[in-house]
Each structure stands twice: as C-alpha cells, then as structure tokens.
C-alpha cells in the first residue's frame, strides 16, 4: 500500500461529549439503532421527514442493476422549493439565510423571503434565455450571494449546474463548458481577493473564443454577468447581459415545477488519475436527503438559533453540499465570506466569527495549520465564545492540529467532527455524531447511520483491524450517479476493483476500537490544501510547454498544505540553450497556473536528466516522492537503470 500521509494513532486521547451537549444534542444513539434495523427504511424516513415531496415516493432504493442506483425514483420534488419557498410558507421568511461579508468589508444580510424572491426572478431570467429542464448552465462566480441564487435558479428549473471554481483558468473553464455542453455561463466582472479585484469575465471571454477545436462557442448562447468588481470588461453584443438589468426586468413570480427524484441536479468536475477531469453527476432527491440529514445531525444544527459558517468556496463539493444545499434545505442561517483569511489582516476569520456570533465552524485542516503557524495570539484577540461545534473536512487532520483547533478555537469545550467524504459521495459518510460519539483526534471514526463501509485488502477481504483500502459496501442516497458522458470510466474507476462495492481511492486503517483513520489517496491524485489535483493533469500541462520533453509530478508532504506539487522535468535537447537563458522553474510554474489554475502551480520544479522508470516504462513516483521529501531512496531494484536515482539525487538540492 502506498499511503501518502503518515499518521500514527498515538496516545489515546478521547473526548466524550459534555453531559450538557449530549442531553441537548440533535442526534441520538437511536439513529444508529434505527439504521441498523432497516437501513433502506431509515433513509426513506429521513427523506420524508427532511424534505417536501410534490409527489411522494413509493420505492426507496432500486439496486437491481449496480452500479446504477435509483433512490426514491417515483417521487417528485423541486430542490429550490425545498431550500427556499417552504421556509417562507412555514413562517420563517424573516429568518436570515445569508450573512454575506465582502472582502473589502461591505456586507449584506439576506432573509429567506428575499433569497426566495431573488431566485424566482433569476429563474424567470434563465427561462427567458431559453434554459429548460435538462439543460446545463456553467457558473463561474466569486463567493457572492448571486452564486447561491444562480445555483438555486438553475435547480428550480430542473436544469443542471456546473460550477467552476473561480481560480480555474480559461482553458480549464473551456474544457468544462464543452464537456457539459453548457447553454449559458453565469459569471461576474470580477471579485475581491487579497485586497484587490480579480477579474473573472476575461477568462470567460477567452474560454468562449472561437478556436475551431472545441465546440464551446456553439453551445453557449449567452453570458450573464454580475457586477461585483466594477472593473472594466469586454462585451460581446447580443451574447453578454448584465445580471442586474435582467433581474430588474424579470417577472417576480415563479411557480416551481416538480421533477423526478433522479433528475440531474449538478455536474462537478474533479481530478482523477488521468489528465481529463471527471464530471461527477449528482441527482436531486437522494442527494438532498443525505446533505440535509448530515448537515442537521453532524453539525447538531438548530436552525432557529445557530449561525453556521462553512468556509469552502461554492466551486468545490463542500460548497455545494454544506454552503448551498444542506444549510438551505434545513433553513439555517449562515455566513458567506468572499475573500481570503488574511485580508486585510490575519485575524479576519475570527473577526467574522465575533461579528456574527458564529456557533458552528466547518473548515479544512490546511487552514487550521496555517493559523497554528501564525500563533494563537491572533485568534485570542477575538471573542470566539459563541462557537459550540467545529468541523473539519478535505484531508486527514493530524492530531496536533485537531488538539490546537479544539483548545485555541474551541476553548476546550466544543466537540470536533472530522468528516470524511468526497465529491463522488456527495455528502458526509464517516464522522462522529456530536453528543453521541466520543471524539478521537486524527480519526474520522465511524460511518454515519445508514452508511456501510469496510477496509479491505487488495483481494477485497476485510482486514478486520489494520491497514487497507476504504470501500463503501452499500449504495447511499447521495452517491454519484455517473461521470458525465463517460459511463465506461464510471464503472472502471469506482466499480471494477471490488465488484459492487464502491472503491473510494483512499487508504484507511481500522484501530482496536473499530475507529477509522484515513491515510490519504492510494492513486495518483494529490491533495493540496484540501483540493484534489491529478498528477497526470499537471504532467500534461507541463509537457504542453515547448521546453519540456518529459515530466513527472508527485505530491510531497507539506507542513501547511498537506501535500505540495513537486515536478521533475526533462528539457528537450533542442530547447536547452533557450531554457538555460530563462528561469525555467518560474516559466513552467506560471505555465501550469495559466493552463489549469493557480492552485495547480508546482511548489518546486526540478530539472533533471532522467526519470526513474520500471522496465515496462512506468515512472516510479514513489522514488521521486522520497527525493522530494528528502528521504532515503527506497527499493530501486525494479528500475530499468538502477543508476538513475543516483544521478537525479545529485541534482536535486532543496
Ligand atoms: C480526502 C472533499 C481524510 C480523501 C469533501 C478523499 C479526507 C478526498 C477527509 C476527496 C477527511 C476528504 N479525512 N481525508 N476528513 N475528507 N478527504 O472530492 O482523500 O475534494 O478521497 O471532497 O479528500 O476530496 P474531494
């Protein structure tokens, strides 16, 4: 096994819930009992309790044709109605849905009634532009309320959105627009980042430029542009429309239609082991059931009094499930913050918590580790006493960061939930239930009620206790329904290893208490600051540069970001003279940022003469990782040329 994250379950710290927390907790041990008696019936109960069905379902799960799952498939619902109108109809229209904080310090408080009104208008705008059920709409926006409005308006019409993270390049955006065949793109002039306006519209213009090779310019008929940055933008007459003009002109009323539970809700692209990102497809009823269930029980949510804040961008799955859909389906009040944690000062997050009296904070270990580095004196300057629950997601949280989070941010009082899940799983799968489970730093712990997982060896046999590969053994409501346009890749990636058990791609360990520890990816996917990046995708960006003959990329462990991108490149003979006259590393780093996006920019680039390969020509990344992490080189006996590591090793100086 090739796990990338070293972690030992060292001294046994456990943190039982306080009696006060336990007595008042939303979740109780009865959930585990109910789910273990009748797993499928348990999910049917959750779906009925948590959601409004326009047409009640009579069938809960159809798993007769794995890996194609259908949940609640004769039921009908409207996802946006569930997130908006019904809260207004039940008398909670005046409750704040979003406390939005712009990076420069401007802010807006938006009630459920206001958000519902905006989404109705936006749905009418989209209808006017020809968007219908089944269409795809690309969304490329900063963290502003319009991002949520746009997602829900698309959902309200039974169309599917494809949100593309604003940090992705024009090329990445174009590839996603093409793959999904989007009809419309919703973007902004720009958004605030690190104290200045970062433009977005130019990337959309570049992505839609006719180039002959890809069809984006044919499918996209309009671009809706939100005004946020107030930066100058180019304008294509007839194609581009200001959001505020269209909204002002739109009809205010809109009746939501009911759509089948299995109607597509969104496509979200994520990195896989090949260079091409996968469009993970999620549908409506099962997805919304599990995000609402987990958001309520894992975060101990009391919608009438909590102020919840998930720091993820809507461009990632965490932003879909735990900013857009989960909190709104549950009628929660939440904070949405546009900018970076250190602008204009490094206490910005804590200032926001103090300002809005945030009670539940959900963030990533990489953020916690950066705050740890800066020191506790920064959060200590703010009043964080409103916090009562902390969550972690995206990568393994090392026990040191867990303990710091609990001690410094949670005043030794708050439970911490370490939540394991993926873009593909749609919602949280493994986590403690606060008030029920004792928390153990570093371990994501136990599958949630209604979820069945196992840790198996390469042959698929349960390890019982010990290390192996994580699988999900039974279908779950929010599971991916496919890879957009690539059924074969869907079967191959997740279902060809262990039959009808889902292979997650993560290594895991089960300890003596039966708790699960996640050990990192076992495939060629890296996890940098909680973002998934593919080694193959970065390698192909690198070889697209005229300097590069060959490239190999590895994820090397990094104190702050979990892993960091480290690239080894061989320069073409014919380019050597040019390359020597340039700062090759800087040139290639910015080339990757331009091709994929700044998040993929390698931390280190090493120019080497050779790459270590097996006799069959496969690059031995394990050895490169040893080098990048400054370790003793492991076993080299399977190399075609056993001298090569010595040659490379001599060159690599950090
Ligand atoms: C990793 C993010 C350990 C894991 C929601 C998974 C985690 C990948 C945890 C999915 C956790 C996520 N502990 N590892 N609590 N949460 N991961 O699709 O490797 O961006 O496969 O979804 O992140 O990343 P994705």
């Amino acid at each position: 096994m090739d796990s990338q994250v070293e972690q030992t379950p060292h001294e046994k710290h456990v943190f039982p819930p306080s009696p006060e927390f336990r007595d008042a907790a939303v979740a109780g041990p009865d959930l585990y009992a109910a789910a273990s008696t009748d797993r499928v019936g348990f999910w049917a109960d959750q779906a009925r309790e948590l959601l409004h069905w326009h047409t009640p379902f009579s069938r809960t799960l159809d798993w007769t044709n794995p890996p194609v799952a259908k949940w609640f498939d004769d039921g009908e619902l409207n996802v946006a109605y569930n997130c908006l109108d019904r809260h207004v109809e039940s008398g909670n229209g005046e409750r704040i849905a979003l406390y939005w904080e712009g990076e420069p310090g401007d802010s807006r408080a938006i009630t459920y009634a206001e958000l519902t009104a905006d989404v109705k208008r936006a749905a009418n705008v989209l209808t006017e532009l020809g968007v219908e059920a089944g269409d795809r709409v690309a969304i490329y926006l900063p963290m502003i309320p319009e991002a949520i409005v746009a997602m829900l308006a698309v959902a309200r019409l039974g169309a599917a959105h494809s949100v593309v993270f604003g940090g992705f390049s024009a090329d990445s955006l174009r590839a996603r627009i093409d793959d999904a065949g989007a009809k419309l793109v919703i973007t902004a002039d720009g958004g605030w980042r690190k104290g200045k306006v970062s433009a977005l519209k130019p990337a959309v213009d570049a992505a839609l430029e006719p180039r002959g090779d890809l069809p984006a310019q044919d499918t996209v008929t309009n671009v809706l542009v939100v005004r946020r940055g107030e930066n100058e933008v180019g304008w294509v007459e007839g194609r581009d429309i200001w959001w505020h003009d269209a909204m002002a002109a739109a009809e205010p009323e809109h009746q939501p239609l009911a759509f089948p539970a299995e109607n597509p809700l969104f496509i979200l692209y994520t990195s896989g082991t090949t260079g091409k990102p996968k469009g993970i497809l999620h549908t409506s009823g099962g997805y919304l059931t599990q995000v609402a269930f987990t958001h309520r029980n894992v975060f101990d949510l009391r919608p009438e009094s909590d102020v919840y804040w998930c720091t993820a961008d809507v461009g990632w799955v965490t932003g879909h499930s735990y900013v857009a859909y989960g909190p709104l389906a549950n009628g929660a009040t939440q904070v949405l913050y546009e900018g970076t944690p250190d602008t204009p000062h490094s206490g910005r997050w804590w200032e926001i918590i103090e300002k809005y009296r945030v009670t539940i904070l959900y963030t990533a270990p990489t953020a916690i580790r950066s705050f740890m580095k800066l020191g506790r004196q920064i959060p200590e300057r703010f009043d964080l006493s409103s916090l009562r629950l902390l969550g972690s997601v995206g990568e393994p949280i090392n026990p040191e960061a867990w303990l710091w989070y609990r001690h410094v941010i949670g005043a030794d009082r708050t439970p911490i939930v370490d939540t394991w899940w993926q873009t593909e799983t749609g919602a949280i799968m493994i986590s403690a239930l606060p008030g029920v489970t004792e928390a153990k730093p570093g371990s994501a712990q136990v599958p949630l009620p209604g979820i069945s997982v196992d840790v198996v060896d390469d042959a698929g046999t349960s390890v019982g206790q010990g290390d192996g590969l994580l699988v999900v053994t039974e279908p779950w409501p929010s599971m991916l329904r496919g890879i957009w346009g690539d059924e074969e890749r869907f079967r191959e990636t997740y279902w060809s290893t262990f039959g009808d058990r889902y292979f997650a791609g993560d290594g895991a360990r089960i300890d003596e208490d039966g708790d699960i520890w996640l050990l990192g990816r076992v495939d060629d996917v890296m996890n940098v600051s909680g973002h998934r990046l593919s080694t193959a995708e970065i390698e192909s960006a690198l070889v697209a540069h005229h300097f590069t003959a060959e490239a190999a990329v590895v994820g090397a462990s990094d104190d702050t970001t979990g892993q960091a991108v480290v690239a080894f490149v061989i320069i073409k003979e014919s380019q050597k003279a040019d390359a020597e006259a340039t700062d090759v590393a800087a040139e290639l780093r910015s080339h990757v940022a331009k091709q994929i996006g700044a998040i993929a920019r390698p931390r280190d680039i090493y120019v080497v003469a050779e790459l270590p390969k097996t006799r069959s020509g496969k690059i031995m990344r394990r050895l490169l990782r040893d080098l990048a992490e400054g370790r003793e080189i492991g076993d080299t006996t399977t190399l075609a040329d056993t001298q090569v590591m010595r040659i490379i090793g001599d060159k690599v100086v950090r």
Side-chain angles (χ1 to χ4, degrees):
M1 240 198 61
D2 191 6
S3 62
Q4 300 183 350
V5 179
E6 285 303 323
Q7 204 170 36
T8 24
H10 53 110
E11 344 87 90
K12 202 163 159 180
H13 284 302
V14 289
F15 295 85
S18 68
E20 306 80 68
F21 196 102
R22 190 189 53 221
D23 293 346
V26 169
D30 53 308
L31 289 174
Y32 291 108
S36 70
T37 315
D38 175 9
R39 199 184 78 85
V40 170
F42 168 81
W43 284 118
D45 291 345
Q46 296 304 329
R48 290 191 188 103
E49 243 171 64
L50 295 166
L51 305 185
H52 171 84
W53 294 84
H54 280 71
T55 312
F57 57 89
S58 68
R59 291 192 296 266
T60 303
L61 169 66
D62 178 356
W63 187 237
T64 50
N65 182 26
V68 180
K70 291 185 183 158
W71 283 89
F72 319 120
D73 81 311
D74 61 348
E76 291 184 315
L77 77 170
N78 185 291
V79 170
Y81 174 84
N82 271 281
C83 293
L84 299 165
D85 314 47
R86 69 167 169 148
H87 304 314
V88 179
E89 288 165 14
S90 65
N92 292 316
E94 294 314 306
R95 183 183 296 163
I96 302 293
L98 303 175
Y99 280 119
W100 176 73
E101 182 82 7
E103 197 189 72
D106 48 340
S107 62
R108 288 165 67 186
I110 303 172
T111 64
Y112 271 93
E114 290 164 342
L115 192 63
T116 305
D118 279 354
V119 171
K120 286 179 175 177
R121 274 184 191 272
N124 288 326
V125 168
L126 300 192
T127 305
E128 285 283 311
L129 295 176
V131 175
E132 293 173 0
D135 287 343
R136 274 83 53 211
V137 174
I139 297 176
Y140 187 66
L141 283 171
M143 283 292 281
I144 53 178
E146 287 80 1
I148 306 286
V149 173
M151 290 165 82
L152 290 169
V154 172
R156 192 175 185 93
L157 298 176
H161 52 73
S162 162
V163 181
V164 180
F165 173 58
F168 277 121
S169 66
D171 283 356
S172 296
L173 174 62
R174 183 182 183 106
R176 285 158 174 76
I177 290 172
D178 275 325
D179 188 76
K183 197 176 221 178
L184 175 75
V185 181
I186 307 178
T187 188
D189 47 3
W192 284 84
R193 258 191 80 75
K194 298 192 204 275
K196 53 181 195 301
V197 172
S198 159
L200 283 169
K201 174 85 171 22
V204 176
D205 293 337
L208 297 181
E209 211 157 85
R211 211 167 55 184
D213 55 339
L214 291 166
Q217 67 272 14
D218 298 335
T219 61
V220 174
T221 46
N222 290 103
V223 177
L224 261 177
V225 188
V226 178
R227 185 144 75 201
R228 165 63 186 152
E230 303 195 358
N231 45 315
E232 287 275 318
V233 289
W235 206 254
V236 176
E237 281 310 324
R239 185 195 73 181
D240 299 350
I241 300 164
W242 283 112
W243 169 274
H244 57 265
D245 288 342
M247 287 288 275
E251 286 295 321
E253 259 323 309
H254 182 271
Q255 283 307 319
L257 298 179
F259 296 101
E262 286 295 344
N263 192 49
L265 177 61
F266 65 85
I267 303 168
L268 183 59
Y269 288 83
T270 187
S271 298
T273 53
T274 71
K276 189 173 182 278
K278 314 178 266 202
I280 303 299
L281 174 67
H282 283 286
T283 58
S284 306
Y287 172 81
L288 202 62
T289 298
Q290 196 174 329
V291 295
F293 170 78
T294 50
H295 183 257
R296 184 177 136 81
N297 290 288
V298 173
F299 298 114
D300 192 53
L301 182 78
R302 270 166 266 260
E304 59 293 341
S305 55
D306 274 317
V307 178
Y308 162 89
W309 183 22
C310 166
T311 62
D313 190 284
V314 289
W316 310 111
V317 75
T318 308
H320 282 59
S321 302
Y322 299 106
V323 177
Y325 292 109
L328 296 176
N330 288 333
T333 295
Q334 69 176 318
V335 170
L336 195 69
Y337 172 55
E338 178 184 34
T340 45
D342 49 2
T343 308
H345 58 82
S346 47
R348 188 66 193 274
W349 276 18
W350 317 120
E351 183 182 68
I352 291 174
I353 290 173
E354 177 180 287
K355 174 172 175 185
Y356 293 106
R357 307 291 301 152
V358 170
T359 57
I360 304 168
L361 176 68
Y362 190 32
T363 192
T366 189
I368 300 162
R369 288 191 298 263
S370 338
F371 292 127
M372 265 174 93
K373 267 198 179 160
L374 293 172
R376 63 170 64 192
Q377 72 285 356
I378 296 172
E380 277 171 2
R381 281 206 291 273
F382 298 89
D383 176 6
L384 306 181
S385 63
S386 54
L387 288 170
R388 62 178 197 87
L389 185 91
L390 304 175
S392 173
V393 60
E395 49 180 322
I397 175 163
N398 46 314
E400 292 68 27
W402 196 106
L403 293 167
W404 189 90
Y405 196 24
R406 167 147 167 133
H407 182 65
V408 178
I409 307 304
D412 285 326
R413 203 173 20 82
T414 55
I416 295 186
V417 286
D418 174 8
T419 62
W420 178 89
W421 59 294
Q422 309 176 297
T423 305
E424 292 87 340
T425 69
I428 299 170
M429 303 289 278
I430 301 177
S431 165
L433 277 186
V436 183
T437 328
E438 287 189 337
K440 189 190 277 183
S443 163
Q445 299 192 295
V446 285
L448 289 178
I451 300 298
S452 314
V453 304
D454 200 0
V455 175
V456 301
D457 62 18
D458 289 345
T461 312
S462 288
V463 298
Q465 195 184 315
D467 288 10
L469 302 168
L470 183 68
V471 293
V472 186
T473 55
E474 300 286 350
W476 65 101
S478 63
M479 67 196 281
L480 77 167
R481 298 302 198 267
I483 293 178
W484 184 257
D486 201 344
E487 161 101 21
E488 193 41 46
R489 191 176 179 193
F490 169 59
R491 289 177 185 269
E492 172 61 31
T493 310
Y494 307 105
W495 307 97
S496 65
T497 321
F498 301 117
D500 60 7
R501 288 174 295 174
Y502 169 86
F503 174 48
D506 278 32
R509 167 181 307 150
I510 299 206
D511 71 12
E512 64 279 10
D513 303 323
D515 283 325
I516 299 169
W517 296 69
L518 277 309
L519 302 174
R521 303 286 308 188
V522 294
D523 52 14
D524 293 329
V525 172
M526 295 169 287
N527 192 325
V528 179
S529 297
H531 299 148
R532 268 165 76 166
L533 295 171
S534 138
T535 53
E537 194 180 357
I538 300 177
E539 285 165 3
S540 63
L542 285 167
V543 295
H545 192 281
H546 61 276
F547 281 170
T548 319
E550 264 192 89
V553 166
V554 297
S557 57
D558 182 285
D559 283 351
T560 307
T561 59
Q563 288 188 304
V565 180
V566 176
F568 295 82
V569 297
I570 302 179
I571 303 293
K572 280 182 195 149
E573 236 4 268
S574 60
Q575 298 292 326
K576 281 211 167 126
D578 275 359
E580 262 159 36
T582 336
D583 182 345
V584 184
E587 165 73 19
L588 292 176
R589 290 174 78 239
S590 72
H591 170 76
V592 172
K594 192 174 161 294
Q595 288 245 305
I596 304 174
I599 46 164
R601 189 188 283 138
R603 184 191 68 186
D604 304 317
I605 291 195
Y606 298 114
V607 174
V608 294
E610 306 267 2
L611 288 172
K613 290 190 184 147
T614 60
R615 277 175 268 274
S616 60
K618 204 170 174 284
I619 293 174
M620 290 190 71
R621 287 203 177 70
R622 176 172 58 80
L623 299 178
L624 292 174
R625 210 177 300 133
D626 287 345
L627 265 184
E629 294 174 355
R631 258 197 313 273
E632 202 58 20
I633 308 293
D635 181 11
T636 58
T637 49
T638 52
L639 280 178
D641 170 2
T642 51
Q643 288 301 309
V644 70
M645 286 316 288
R646 201 181 48 73
I647 300 168
I648 299 173
D650 286 349
K651 295 232 172 192
V652 173
V653 271
R654 304 202 60 189

